[in-house]
Amino acid sequence: MWEYTDQVKDHFLNPRNVGFIDDYDGIGEVGSLACGDALKLTFKLGDDQRIADARFQTFGCASAIASSSALTEMVKGLTLDEASDVTNEDIADFLGGLPKEKMHCSVMGRDAMEKAISFYRGEAETKIEGEIVCECFGVTDVQIERAVTENGLTSIEEVTDYVKAGGGCENCHDRIQFIIDSVLGNTPKAAKRPEALTNIQKIKMIDATLDREIKPALNQDGGDIELVDVDGNRVMVKLRGTCASCSKSQVTLKHYVETRLKELVSQDLVVEEV
Amino acid sequence: MNPIYMDNNATTRVAPEVLEEMLPYFSDLYGNPSSMHTFGGNVGSTLKKARENVAGLLGALPEEILFTSCGTESDSTAIHAALRSNPEKKHIITTRVEHPAVKNLGEYLANNGYRVTFVPVDRDGRLDEDFLYKSLSDDTALVSVMWANNETGTIFPVEKIARKVREWGIVFHTDAVQVVGKIPMNLADSAIDMFSLSGHKLHAPKGIGVLYVRKGTKFAPFLMGGHQEGGRRAGTENTASIIGMGRAARLVVDSMEDENTRVRALRDKLEKELLKRIPASMVNGDPENRLPNTTSIAFEYVEGEAILLLMDQHGICASSGSACTSGSLEPSHVLRAMGVPFTAAHGTIRYSLSIYNTEEEVDFVIEKMPPIIERLRRMSPFWKEGQIS
């Protein structure tokens, strides 16, 4: 059993500001069903350009719900500049601390706030920056580096606690260690990522992304997708199950599959059905 | 508040009769059963009876029963014994859904010079038997397959598998901690060579396990030292717990029918009503071959730890297959091996009943669960009112 503080229990059992603001000024979504937690945050500004209302919808464990609830309480009345200064540590402190394995819940809150503010400011949908390091949870080197720097992390285990990276198949542990070492100055700064992926890297990443992100979602509706071939930036797929006969399948293909692949693998990809 | 305890695959309450039988061995009757004096020797005679009771429950001979400290020690002893007495063989077969007591040892051996085959299961948790048979080879030292799964209650056809394995002259071990007291068995007529059980799963205390080793099976001790347990498990006997184990063995002989009729009916009622009252819910595991006391139900779009904590508010105890409860980030290896989508695995709750559960308790849980799931779904960004998956 987790040792949650009274504040965490209170915000879990009596969550503040659950809901969705229909005429929101900002919206930020992070996480997914597959990852085990997700947060949708909306806010509305008042005439004084301060956050007048903030609401959340969260799928996740007690500390994910409590972190979301805490975040909405903390940011109400703040200007957007002030709200963007709220760190994951602030959220954890507000709750009297979180078990270390649960720190990623507070990071999720911070990320959702940032996304919602970017949305309001009209900054382009912030694509995930950097190169995916942890395939299981889709965490990039930039996210890991940031968590390490901001929270003074020194071990792979801590990185997993804060951003989940390395918590699945563990294949990326060497790369996480490399990032930690780079931040701590133990080794020369990591070499800049190569400009382009090699073909084989690209195919592997597309395949892994389909398996991890896209298939589970399509399977939910009885559909499925299969990678047929990759030629340059053309990704050729076959839709199966209910997708094959669905009139909306082209929409799914372009708006969902292609968007996800662009986000997670390369902006240049084009998805085609064969 | 008395808990409504539906987590009996995790541990069970000690039967009052068991406790009563044990108590004198913590106070007046503290003798060492190995001593020459009558004071100790009397304890030795009681241990002998306890051993006979356990043997009687399993259909085994008393000399085939070793007392250990827990189910995990029994598993470790069996696996190491098979490997050490067949040193030329470097292959082990087990399954992807074993309890960590076997699974983690298998993974350790795989990193330390052994080839380990983990046999897969299908979407209902049924074992791919053909895969197992095709993996047998002259290099195989041991096959270890659990009798029933602790998370889903799915029962594997271990007797059939043991017979096939015996044709190859390979040792067969089963982790049977979840089935003892729930399924009748007669090891004398079986092809199972080694068999692990755990006291605290059948109303004996924690800290007592049993390993059955068929007469004639090659064996090497795990704990070395004194002559206890026929030189096969050294260490002064845990007298009170062994005596408690013996009493529990007699009790479950009598309660097995209740377990398979009344408890099964309670489980079925709980399952049926929850599925009826809560949309987007489903049962994990083989509905046919299943322990009578267990149901594993996935509630989609909500997360298991949050469900458990809200159940806890009503004093209802159960377990979850979700990642968050264990501190790992991925849901249970059993549900993943079955290919249960993460979306359902995260919201899986296991209810495991016992003979101490009542219909009133089941009705209470049936009444309390729908609002809990409803409350969390209203908070979830993935749930829409009236949605049926």
mmCIF file of all heavy atoms in Angstrom, chain B residues 201-224:
data_model
loop_
_atom_site.group_PDB
_atom_site.id
_atom_site.type_symbol
_atom_site.label_atom_id
_atom_site.label_comp_id
_atom_site.label_asym_id
_atom_site.label_seq_id
_atom_site.Cartn_x
_atom_site.Cartn_y
_atom_site.Cartn_z
ATOM 1 N N LYS B 201 -2.342 -19.787 2.174
ATOM 2 C CA LYS B 201 -3.419 -19.713 1.182
ATOM 3 C C LYS B 201 -4.583 -20.621 1.571
ATOM 4 O O LYS B 201 -5.600 -20.631 0.898
ATOM 5 C CB LYS B 201 -2.918 -20.127 -0.207
ATOM 6 C CG LYS B 201 -1.652 -19.449 -0.675
ATOM 7 C CD LYS B 201 -1.851 -17.999 -1.060
ATOM 8 C CE LYS B 201 -0.618 -17.501 -1.829
ATOM 9 N NZ LYS B 201 -0.569 -16.046 -1.900
ATOM 10 N N LEU B 202 -4.391 -21.455 2.602
ATOM 11 C CA LEU B 202 -5.478 -22.352 2.994
ATOM 12 C C LEU B 202 -5.732 -22.307 4.490
ATOM 13 O O LEU B 202 -5.936 -23.342 5.125
ATOM 14 C CB LEU B 202 -5.269 -23.783 2.482
ATOM 15 C CG LEU B 202 -3.995 -24.534 2.842
ATOM 16 C CD1 LEU B 202 -4.317 -26.007 3.079
ATOM 17 C CD2 LEU B 202 -2.982 -24.423 1.739
ATOM 18 N N HIS B 203 -5.710 -21.102 5.036
ATOM 19 C CA HIS B 203 -6.123 -20.860 6.419
ATOM 20 C C HIS B 203 -5.161 -21.400 7.468
ATOM 21 O O HIS B 203 -5.520 -21.561 8.618
ATOM 22 C CB HIS B 203 -7.552 -21.358 6.654
ATOM 23 C CG HIS B 203 -8.530 -20.801 5.658
ATOM 24 N ND1 HIS B 203 -8.829 -19.467 5.594
ATOM 25 C CD2 HIS B 203 -9.224 -21.392 4.643
ATOM 26 C CE1 HIS B 203 -9.689 -19.253 4.608
ATOM 27 N NE2 HIS B 203 -9.936 -20.400 4.008
ATOM 28 N N ALA B 204 -3.914 -21.709 7.057
ATOM 29 C CA ALA B 204 -2.815 -21.919 8.006
ATOM 30 C C ALA B 204 -2.055 -20.581 8.061
ATOM 31 O O ALA B 204 -2.344 -19.675 7.285
ATOM 32 C CB ALA B 204 -1.923 -23.055 7.534
ATOM 33 N N PRO B 205 -1.084 -20.441 8.970
ATOM 34 C CA PRO B 205 -0.415 -19.130 9.051
ATOM 35 C C PRO B 205 0.602 -18.913 7.925
ATOM 36 O O PRO B 205 0.931 -19.835 7.188
ATOM 37 C CB PRO B 205 0.288 -19.197 10.405
ATOM 38 C CG PRO B 205 0.491 -20.639 10.668
ATOM 39 C CD PRO B 205 -0.649 -21.358 10.019
ATOM 40 N N LYS B 206 1.088 -17.682 7.838
ATOM 41 C CA LYS B 206 2.203 -17.366 6.942
ATOM 42 C C LYS B 206 3.470 -17.994 7.511
ATOM 43 O O LYS B 206 3.574 -18.207 8.713
ATOM 44 C CB LYS B 206 2.364 -15.852 6.839
ATOM 45 C CG LYS B 206 1.179 -15.194 6.156
ATOM 46 C CD LYS B 206 1.044 -13.740 6.537
ATOM 47 C CE LYS B 206 -0.264 -13.164 6.035
ATOM 48 N NZ LYS B 206 -1.446 -13.700 6.799
ATOM 49 N N GLY B 207 4.431 -18.272 6.650
ATOM 50 C CA GLY B 207 5.705 -18.795 7.129
ATOM 51 C C GLY B 207 5.771 -20.308 7.148
ATOM 52 O O GLY B 207 6.659 -20.880 7.776
ATOM 53 N N ILE B 208 4.818 -20.967 6.487
ATOM 54 C CA ILE B 208 4.898 -22.418 6.392
ATOM 55 C C ILE B 208 4.523 -22.836 4.958
ATOM 56 O O ILE B 208 3.521 -22.396 4.405
ATOM 57 C CB ILE B 208 3.999 -23.129 7.446
ATOM 58 C CG1 ILE B 208 4.095 -24.646 7.337
ATOM 59 C CG2 ILE B 208 2.542 -22.690 7.341
ATOM 60 C CD1 ILE B 208 5.377 -25.204 7.902
ATOM 61 N N GLY B 209 5.407 -23.640 4.369
ATOM 62 C CA GLY B 209 5.152 -24.159 3.031
ATOM 63 C C GLY B 209 5.393 -25.653 3.024
ATOM 64 O O GLY B 209 5.905 -26.224 3.997
ATOM 65 N N VAL B 210 4.990 -26.274 1.918
ATOM 66 C CA VAL B 210 5.198 -27.712 1.781
ATOM 67 C C VAL B 210 5.754 -27.979 0.390
ATOM 68 O O VAL B 210 5.332 -27.346 -0.582
ATOM 69 C CB VAL B 210 3.868 -28.489 1.966
ATOM 70 C CG1 VAL B 210 4.027 -29.953 1.542
ATOM 71 C CG2 VAL B 210 3.382 -28.393 3.401
ATOM 72 N N LEU B 211 6.718 -28.879 0.331
ATOM 73 C CA LEU B 211 7.141 -29.389 -0.973
ATOM 74 C C LEU B 211 6.930 -30.896 -0.973
ATOM 75 O O LEU B 211 7.437 -31.601 -0.089
ATOM 76 C CB LEU B 211 8.619 -29.067 -1.238
ATOM 77 C CG LEU B 211 9.168 -29.639 -2.552
ATOM 78 C CD1 LEU B 211 8.445 -29.056 -3.769
ATOM 79 C CD2 LEU B 211 10.674 -29.386 -2.673
ATOM 80 N N TYR B 212 6.154 -31.359 -1.938
ATOM 81 C CA TYR B 212 5.977 -32.790 -2.138
ATOM 82 C C TYR B 212 7.059 -33.254 -3.112
ATOM 83 O O TYR B 212 7.266 -32.621 -4.157
ATOM 84 C CB TYR B 212 4.583 -33.069 -2.715
ATOM 85 C CG TYR B 212 4.441 -34.388 -3.434
ATOM 86 C CD1 TYR B 212 4.096 -35.552 -2.748
ATOM 87 C CD2 TYR B 212 4.642 -34.473 -4.813
ATOM 88 C CE1 TYR B 212 3.965 -36.768 -3.411
ATOM 89 C CE2 TYR B 212 4.517 -35.682 -5.482
ATOM 90 C CZ TYR B 212 4.178 -36.825 -4.781
ATOM 91 O OH TYR B 212 4.043 -38.018 -5.443
ATOM 92 N N VAL B 213 7.791 -34.303 -2.732
ATOM 93 C CA VAL B 213 8.788 -34.872 -3.645
ATOM 94 C C VAL B 213 8.468 -36.357 -3.786
ATOM 95 O O VAL B 213 8.563 -37.116 -2.811
ATOM 96 C CB VAL B 213 10.226 -34.708 -3.103
ATOM 97 C CG1 VAL B 213 11.238 -35.261 -4.110
ATOM 98 C CG2 VAL B 213 10.537 -33.255 -2.800
ATOM 99 N N ARG B 214 8.048 -36.750 -4.999
ATOM 100 C CA ARG B 214 7.685 -38.148 -5.224
ATOM 101 C C ARG B 214 8.861 -39.055 -4.873
ATOM 102 O O ARG B 214 10.006 -38.772 -5.210
ATOM 103 C CB ARG B 214 7.301 -38.364 -6.698
ATOM 104 C CG ARG B 214 7.088 -39.829 -7.081
ATOM 105 C CD ARG B 214 6.675 -39.971 -8.529
ATOM 106 N NE ARG B 214 5.434 -39.237 -8.752
ATOM 107 C CZ ARG B 214 4.245 -39.666 -8.351
ATOM 108 N NH1 ARG B 214 4.123 -40.837 -7.741
ATOM 109 N NH2 ARG B 214 3.175 -38.945 -8.566
ATOM 110 N N LYS B 215 8.549 -40.149 -4.179
ATOM 111 C CA LYS B 215 9.562 -41.138 -3.816
ATOM 112 C C LYS B 215 10.303 -41.569 -5.082
ATOM 113 O O LYS B 215 9.677 -41.859 -6.100
ATOM 114 C CB LYS B 215 8.845 -42.362 -3.224
ATOM 115 C CG LYS B 215 9.543 -42.994 -2.062
ATOM 116 C CD LYS B 215 8.642 -44.047 -1.464
ATOM 117 C CE LYS B 215 9.457 -45.020 -0.632
ATOM 118 N NZ LYS B 215 8.583 -46.050 -0.061
ATOM 119 N N GLY B 216 11.618 -41.559 -5.039
ATOM 120 C CA GLY B 216 12.391 -41.989 -6.199
ATOM 121 C C GLY B 216 12.840 -40.842 -7.086
ATOM 122 O O GLY B 216 13.636 -41.034 -7.997
ATOM 123 N N THR B 217 12.319 -39.617 -6.807
ATOM 124 C CA THR B 217 12.757 -38.462 -7.590
ATOM 125 C C THR B 217 14.138 -38.042 -7.110
ATOM 126 O O THR B 217 14.371 -37.929 -5.906
ATOM 127 C CB THR B 217 11.780 -37.281 -7.395
ATOM 128 O OG1 THR B 217 10.473 -37.722 -7.725
ATOM 129 C CG2 THR B 217 12.157 -36.104 -8.265
ATOM 130 N N LYS B 218 15.042 -37.826 -8.059
ATOM 131 C CA LYS B 218 16.392 -37.383 -7.680
ATOM 132 C C LYS B 218 16.291 -36.015 -7.009
ATOM 133 O O LYS B 218 15.551 -35.153 -7.461
ATOM 134 C CB LYS B 218 17.296 -37.295 -8.915
ATOM 135 C CG LYS B 218 17.740 -38.667 -9.410
ATOM 136 C CD LYS B 218 18.942 -38.551 -10.334
ATOM 137 C CE LYS B 218 18.496 -38.228 -11.753
ATOM 138 N NZ LYS B 218 19.634 -38.106 -12.689
ATOM 139 N N PHE B 219 17.020 -35.851 -5.915
ATOM 140 C CA PHE B 219 16.852 -34.637 -5.123
ATOM 141 C C PHE B 219 18.187 -34.157 -4.586
ATOM 142 O O PHE B 219 19.090 -34.944 -4.308
ATOM 143 C CB PHE B 219 15.896 -34.925 -3.947
ATOM 144 C CG PHE B 219 15.490 -33.697 -3.191
ATOM 145 C CD1 PHE B 219 14.449 -32.899 -3.654
ATOM 146 C CD2 PHE B 219 16.141 -33.335 -2.021
ATOM 147 C CE1 PHE B 219 14.072 -31.753 -2.970
ATOM 148 C CE2 PHE B 219 15.767 -32.185 -1.333
ATOM 149 C CZ PHE B 219 14.730 -31.399 -1.796
ATOM 150 N N ALA B 220 18.327 -32.849 -4.454
ATOM 151 C CA ALA B 220 19.487 -32.261 -3.782
ATOM 152 C C ALA B 220 18.957 -31.149 -2.896
ATOM 153 O O ALA B 220 18.136 -30.362 -3.336
ATOM 154 C CB ALA B 220 20.468 -31.700 -4.812
ATOM 155 N N PRO B 221 19.373 -31.088 -1.624
ATOM 156 C CA PRO B 221 18.785 -30.092 -0.717
ATOM 157 C C PRO B 221 19.186 -28.669 -1.072
ATOM 158 O O PRO B 221 20.247 -28.434 -1.646
ATOM 159 C CB PRO B 221 19.346 -30.484 0.651
ATOM 160 C CG PRO B 221 20.559 -31.284 0.375
ATOM 161 C CD PRO B 221 20.367 -31.938 -0.953
ATOM 162 N N PHE B 222 18.297 -27.745 -0.731
ATOM 163 C CA PHE B 222 18.530 -26.316 -0.968
ATOM 164 C C PHE B 222 19.202 -25.728 0.277
ATOM 165 O O PHE B 222 20.232 -25.084 0.188
ATOM 166 C CB PHE B 222 17.170 -25.661 -1.231
ATOM 167 C CG PHE B 222 17.245 -24.234 -1.691
ATOM 168 C CD1 PHE B 222 18.017 -23.868 -2.784
ATOM 169 C CD2 PHE B 222 16.498 -23.254 -1.066
ATOM 170 C CE1 PHE B 222 18.066 -22.556 -3.229
ATOM 171 C CE2 PHE B 222 16.535 -21.940 -1.501
ATOM 172 C CZ PHE B 222 17.315 -21.589 -2.581
ATOM 173 N N LEU B 223 18.588 -25.986 1.443
ATOM 174 C CA LEU B 223 19.203 -25.586 2.710
ATOM 175 C C LEU B 223 19.979 -26.787 3.248
ATOM 176 O O LEU B 223 19.400 -27.853 3.431
ATOM 177 C CB LEU B 223 18.141 -25.201 3.739
ATOM 178 C CG LEU B 223 17.458 -23.844 3.601
ATOM 179 C CD1 LEU B 223 16.613 -23.570 4.845
ATOM 180 C CD2 LEU B 223 18.472 -22.728 3.415
ATOM 181 N N MET B 224 21.259 -26.620 3.509
ATOM 182 C CA MET B 224 22.065 -27.727 4.019
ATOM 183 C C MET B 224 22.428 -27.467 5.472
ATOM 184 O O MET B 224 22.580 -26.322 5.880
ATOM 185 C CB MET B 224 23.311 -27.904 3.166
ATOM 186 C CG MET B 224 22.962 -28.538 1.816
ATOM 187 S SD MET B 224 24.396 -28.724 0.768
ATOM 188 C CE MET B 224 23.988 -27.573 -0.525
#
